[in-house]
Amino acid sequence: MKATLLKSHELAPEVRHFVFEVPGVQELPFKPGQFVSFEATLRGKNITRAYSIASRPDGNRFELCLNLVHEGSFSPHLFAMEPGDSVEMTPPLGFFTIRNPAKDALFIATGTGIAPFRSMVPDYLAHAEAKRLTLLFGVRYENSIYYGHEFVELASRHSNFRFWPTLSRPEPSWGGRSCHVQNHLLEAIGDQRDLDVYICGLKAMVDDVRAILKALGFDRKQIIFEKYD
Ligand SMILES: Cc1cc2nc3c(=O)[nH]c(=O)nc-3n(C[C@H](O)[C@H](O)[C@H](O)COP(=O)(O)OP(=O)(O)OC[C@H]3O[C@@H](n4cnc5c(N)ncnc54)[C@H](O)[C@@H]3O)c2cc1C
């Protein structure tokens, strides 16, 4: 199966939003939260990398949110793609999907770890109208709150949804939350223990948040995570 790039645009320095289609198929079935694997032979080496789908199911199209790892093997190749270029891919896979839409949930992302939540948040709100959902999103700078306007708009329409961006390197003019997502965990959870927590991002953050949740008494089945590295 191939994915053909339709267009891409910059979301923040070194982070881009990509829109792909899969030629020759009508539908690309997947569950919000799943990823595709891309494959290419680069400098004589066969390389495969996973990318979370950052859009809801939409015919044969899907969207990704990628950051450029300068010394990386694969992301520079994707950032060099022009509309019309193709890349080999496998169909969507993965278990980072909503377990129990009947429960309150906390979604935690840092950086491009927001990608699966751009698909999962609207899906969760569509299927669990009465349940409470918080999205805690950590980035360094205000201009890196990718898709922030979309989450703000969803929060304005769904009183059960809270969007909490937090900046680790805020400008003095920033009036919102600052520091790492870990600093806001206790406030997001409060006394509640009957909720599922979904975490996505780099290993260091994911492991740190899991350790805090375990110390708070969360069962491992309530902690669903995706590590990017
Ligand atoms: C299930 C899954 C879903 C993923 N979804 C996304 C996604 O939606 N968007 C995305 O940008 N990446 C995603 N990744 C990471 C992606 O697969 C690649 O690891 C990333 O593009 C770097 O690949 P590379 O070959 O350029 O770098 P490599 O040569 O593999 O070097 C990776 C190095 O860069 C560091 N690094 C910095 N930023 C990242 C990052 N975002 N991901 C991984 N490593 C990073 C790592 O710590 C590591 O040391 C996902 C990974 C997994 C396992």
Side-chain angles (χ1 to χ4, degrees):
M1 184 179 263
K2 272 190 196 308
T4 302
L5 181 66
L6 296 179
K7 55 188 173 181
S8 75
H9 67 266
E10 187 180 81
L11 290 169
E14 310 199 328
V15 181
R16 292 185 79 78
H17 181 85
F18 291 76
V19 181
F20 287 93
E21 72 171 5
V22 183
V25 305
Q26 296 244 304
E27 296 285 331
L28 181 74
F30 65 90
K31 289 186 185 164
Q34 289 191 309
F35 62 85
V36 291
S37 284
F38 283 169
E39 196 181 324
T41 304
L42 302 171
R43 283 181 240 101
K45 263 179 137 180
N46 200 37
I47 299 176
T48 304
R49 292 286 184 270
Y51 294 100
S52 302
I53 300 175
S55 53
R56 296 179 81 188
D58 175 23
N60 70 343
R61 286 187 177 204
F62 67 96
E63 299 169 27
L64 301 179
C65 169
L66 307 181
N67 73 286
L68 176 63
V69 177
H70 278 288
E71 342 61 68
S73 315
F74 206 87
S75 55
H77 173 67
L78 293 176
F79 270 68
M81 283 178 78
E82 298 284 348
D85 290 348
S86 295
V87 58
E88 286 294 332
M89 71 169 240
T90 59
L93 287 172
F95 301 101
F96 188 70
T97 54
I98 308 270
R99 296 285 190 278
N100 185 355
K103 265 188 167 181
D104 290 346
L106 170 60
F107 291 173
I108 302 171
T110 49
T112 50
I114 197 66
F117 295 126
R118 185 170 181 257
S119 183
M120 293 161 80
V121 168
D123 192 64
Y124 184 89
L125 293 174
H127 292 109
E129 190 58 46
K131 293 292 149 188
R132 286 186 302 169
L133 173 66
T134 302
L135 172 62
L136 183 50
F137 180 26
V139 289
R140 285 184 183 162
Y141 308 107
E142 188 172 356
N143 70 355
S144 301
I145 308 174
Y146 334 125
Y147 314 114
H149 60 286
E150 296 178 17
F151 295 121
V152 166
E153 197 272 327
L154 279 172
S156 74
R157 285 196 288 115
H158 296 268
S159 58
N160 56 327
F161 174 52
R162 303 185 294 186
F163 174 51
W164 287 5
T166 179
L167 306 184
S168 59
R169 298 190 192 166
E171 294 290 328
S173 58
W174 171 248
R177 287 163 197 280
S178 54
C179 290
H180 296 288
V181 290
Q182 292 88 321
N183 296 75
H184 303 287
L185 258 186
L186 286 181
E187 187 190 348
I189 292 166
D191 294 332
Q192 197 179 1
R193 293 296 175 270
D194 182 25
L195 83 167
D196 288 337
V197 184
Y198 297 75
I199 318 162
C200 185
L202 295 179
K203 181 178 185 300
M205 180 281 289
V206 174
D207 287 348
D208 217 17
V209 171
R210 287 171 65 211
I212 297 170
L213 292 170
K214 282 181 193 161
L216 288 173
F218 279 79
D219 187 85
R220 59 182 181 81
K221 286 194 187 129
Q222 295 174 269
I223 309 170
I224 302 107
F225 60 90
E226 189 86 280
K227 290 183 194 178
Y228 277 3
D229 61 339

